[in-house]
Amino acid sequence: MASKEELNPFKIAQKQLDKAAEIMKLDPGIHAVLREPMRELHVSIPVKMDDGTVKVFKGFRVQYNDARGPCKGGIRFHPEETIDTVRALAAWMTWKTAVVNIPLGGGKGGVVCNPKEMSAGELERLSRGYIDQVGRILGPEKDIPAPDVYTNPQIMAWMADEFAKLKGYYVPGVITGKPVEIGGSEGRGDATARGAYYTIREAAKKLNLDLKNATFAVQGFGNAGQFIAKILGEAGAKLIAVSDSKGGVINRDGLDPERLIDYKLKNGTVVDFPGTSAITNKELLELDVDILCPSALENQLTKENAPHVKAKIIAELANGPTTPEADEIFFERGIFVIPDFLCNAGGVTVSYFEVVQNIYNFYWDLPTVHEMLDKKMTKAFWDVDKAAEEYKVDPRTAAYIVAVNRVAEAIRLRGIA
Ligand code: NAD
């Protein structure tokens, strides 16, 4: 079994950077800057609960690097949130914005809480409380949050409203993933999965895999997982299995993504979806499918299960689903990994489009958003592929080389004094 230290997401993020830094012969001073977050804020958020008691929640905002522009990254509500997870996610945001070449840095936020056990009123007070504490370091020109695990457009709307109270006027560009009615972008809802789809499409071209005859499995059935099931299904691929935190289901003849999404909405889980057999999360990862889409949490693919994975492409919609040891096994076994911060960069790319539209106060239609997203993701995929060929490294290390080069160049140009 991997040790707790080995599975610490921030240690993993640092290890990934170190590997790329060595190969690309990164300047040691810039390497040292990039190994640590630039700034972090730890807060305690008091919330009046429905029963009249007061509960104090721990929250974080990490601003990892702003050399290329304002920090950008989601806010996660999770009972097992830790500062090291937030640091890792903030680091990955820095590489993500750089790999798709948008003028932003990296940040991330989190609150230790279990939203599944909280009422809508409690969640609203917690969301507003988070902004009351963290709002001072946010703003379209400083740091721009977005949704992540267990946060959604409604929560973004409450946060944007609370920020408006602090400022005295509405500043839509302070947060992205908002409902369209209050300055959200068309196409933000499924942007992460749609961006991932563009990279899967390009990977399939590279590997001569016909998506129309391909099979796939999805771990995690939230925003990222549901939309990738739908979009890959629309492209002709056959969904075989899905899972969520409560368990999974399989049908080798194929599952209908739309019906599964409806079922999950009504029942809160995919478990017991009619016409399927039960499958564990562990079994799902080792299924004989062409494309595996980890779309839940970190450290799902480890040195223990990597030798048994049968997929040809692993499309990492989740952040950090693969440990460095598993990465090496996949590279040796010729399994093509589309690394997280490339694969799931569609969300932040459309978030960037959202901020641009907010600042211009001029809004684009859906085809325009899709076209611009496709351009960004396709270019990023082939930039990374070129680096992989040039340096003869796995796609994750190649993605690091592309991204770190861009951030390093920004630091070099701005200077360290
Ligand atoms: P979400 O809250 O909408 O969904 C998370 C899903 O994962 C839920 O279905 C939950 O049941 C499932 N899950 C939780 N623990 C699990 C476990 N142990 N095994 C199997 N399933 C489990 O979250 P999301 O926004 O879809 O995010 C999922 C992943 O995608 C995260 O790693 C997140 O950082 C990443 N991501 C999301 C976005 C975005 O725009 N939403 C962007 C980039 C990356």
Side-chain angles (χ1 to χ4, degrees):
M1 279 288 280
S3 69
K4 209 170 165 194
E5 191 63 9
E6 275 177 315
L7 296 181
N8 176 322
F10 187 50
K11 297 272 178 240
I12 290 177
Q14 286 182 317
K15 212 166 156 181
Q16 292 166 340
L17 171 68
D18 295 346
K19 182 175 169 188
E22 196 182 325
I23 294 168
M24 65 196 279
K25 301 191 173 49
L26 182 64
D27 173 88
I30 290 181
H31 183 190
V33 172
L34 294 179
R35 283 191 103 248
E36 301 293 337
M38 169 183 80
R39 178 182 301 129
E40 53 187 53
L41 185 57
H42 295 226
V43 297
S44 302
I45 311 161
V47 175
K48 205 170 259 174
M49 306 303 278
D50 290 347
D51 65 5
T53 60
V54 171
K55 214 167 158 181
V56 179
F57 294 89
K58 286 272 162 228
F60 314 106
R61 185 74 194 170
V62 174
Q63 298 180 335
Y64 199 86
N65 188 281
D66 68 353
R68 288 170 39 86
C71 296
K72 182 88 192 82
I75 300 169
R76 186 178 279 196
F77 283 0
H78 199 276
E80 277 140 44
E81 191 63 299
T82 67
I83 183 62
D84 274 338
T85 310
V86 182
R87 284 176 181 141
L89 290 162
W92 290 326
M93 285 307 301
T94 307
W95 317 134
K96 197 178 298 191
T97 54
V99 86
V100 283
N101 213 358
I102 54 180
L104 296 169
K108 200 85 184 187
V111 177
V112 187
C113 67
N114 189 349
K116 289 180 183 172
E117 290 173 357
M118 296 171 72
S119 70
E122 289 168 345
L123 271 177
E124 176 172 355
R125 293 192 287 281
L126 175 63
S127 304
R128 290 184 184 277
Y130 182 79
I131 294 299
D132 292 340
Q133 295 290 338
V134 173
R136 66 204 71 195
I137 63 165
L138 302 180
E141 63 299 307
K142 295 194 234 174
D143 181 3
I144 309 155
D148 194 71
V149 173
Y150 298 151
T151 55
N152 56 32
Q154 176 60 75
I155 289 177
M156 298 306 110
W158 289 326
M159 289 183 169
D161 185 66
E162 195 63 20
F163 191 77
K165 286 183 186 158
L166 296 178
K167 292 297 272 192
Y169 54 94
Y170 187 44
V171 187
V174 68
I175 204 157
T176 60
K178 302 178 294 292
V180 172
E181 294 79 357
I182 56 169
S185 177
E186 292 291 348
R188 177 62 183 85
D190 71 2
T192 299
R194 190 165 295 277
Y197 163 68
Y198 295 138
T199 64
I200 295 169
R201 183 192 65 198
E202 298 307 304
K205 275 185 208 160
K206 184 179 164 68
L207 303 182
N208 283 323
L209 177 74
D210 179 8
L211 275 187
K212 289 207 163 47
N213 290 312
T215 54
F216 70 108
V218 178
Q219 185 201 40
F221 210 53
N223 175 287
Q226 291 179 14
F227 282 119
I228 197 61
K230 190 163 171 269
I231 295 169
L232 265 181
E234 283 164 3
K238 195 201 289 183
L239 176 65
I240 300 289
V242 296
S243 65
D244 58 30
S245 59
K246 299 196 177 111
V249 291
I250 179 167
N251 182 342
R252 292 230 160 248
D253 294 330
L255 296 161
D256 180 348
E258 296 274 11
R259 284 186 47 225
L260 254 176
I261 293 169
D262 280 352
Y263 182 88
K264 164 98 182 166
L265 276 176
K266 282 190 198 112
N267 299 283
T269 175
V270 296
V271 171
D272 290 334
F273 180 66
T276 59
S277 317
I279 186 172
T280 64
N281 263 294
K282 183 175 179 303
E283 288 163 339
L284 180 138
L285 296 173
E286 297 175 13
L287 281 177
D288 188 7
V289 286
D290 294 308
I291 306 160
L292 178 65
C293 301
S295 313
L297 296 172
E298 304 82 35
N299 295 328
Q300 301 301 305
L301 297 162
T302 61
K303 62 184 174 199
E304 278 81 29
N305 60 8
H308 312 296
V309 168
K310 296 175 194 70
K312 296 186 184 77
I313 296 175
I314 299 174
E316 295 183 338
L317 282 96
N319 282 308
T322 306
T323 65
E325 294 78 16
D327 247 340
E328 278 176 20
I329 297 171
F330 293 143
F331 191 48
E332 276 161 23
R333 294 186 55 216
I335 295 176
F336 191 84
V337 176
I338 310 175
D340 48 8
F341 68 82
L342 167 64
C343 186
N344 67 32
V348 74
T349 303
V350 176
S351 274
Y352 163 61
F353 297 161
E354 184 173 332
V355 178
V356 171
Q357 293 170 80
N358 292 152
I359 291 170
Y360 270 82
N361 205 6
F362 179 78
Y363 290 83
W364 312 342
D365 60 13
L366 190 59
T368 306
V369 172
H370 286 174
E371 190 190 323
M372 307 230 340
L373 177 63
D374 192 347
K375 233 187 222 166
K376 281 277 179 209
M377 298 302 300
T378 302
K379 169 93 171 61
F381 179 90
W382 292 108
D383 282 352
V384 168
D385 190 64
K386 190 166 157 232
E389 303 273 333
E390 196 178 319
Y391 287 89
K392 303 203 175 353
V393 290
D394 59 279
R396 188 181 324 277
T397 307
Y400 264 94
I401 291 172
V402 171
V404 171
N405 244 327
R406 289 179 181 153
V407 181
E409 185 58 9
I411 294 175
R412 200 190 58 75
L413 285 166
R414 288 179 54 175
I416 301 172

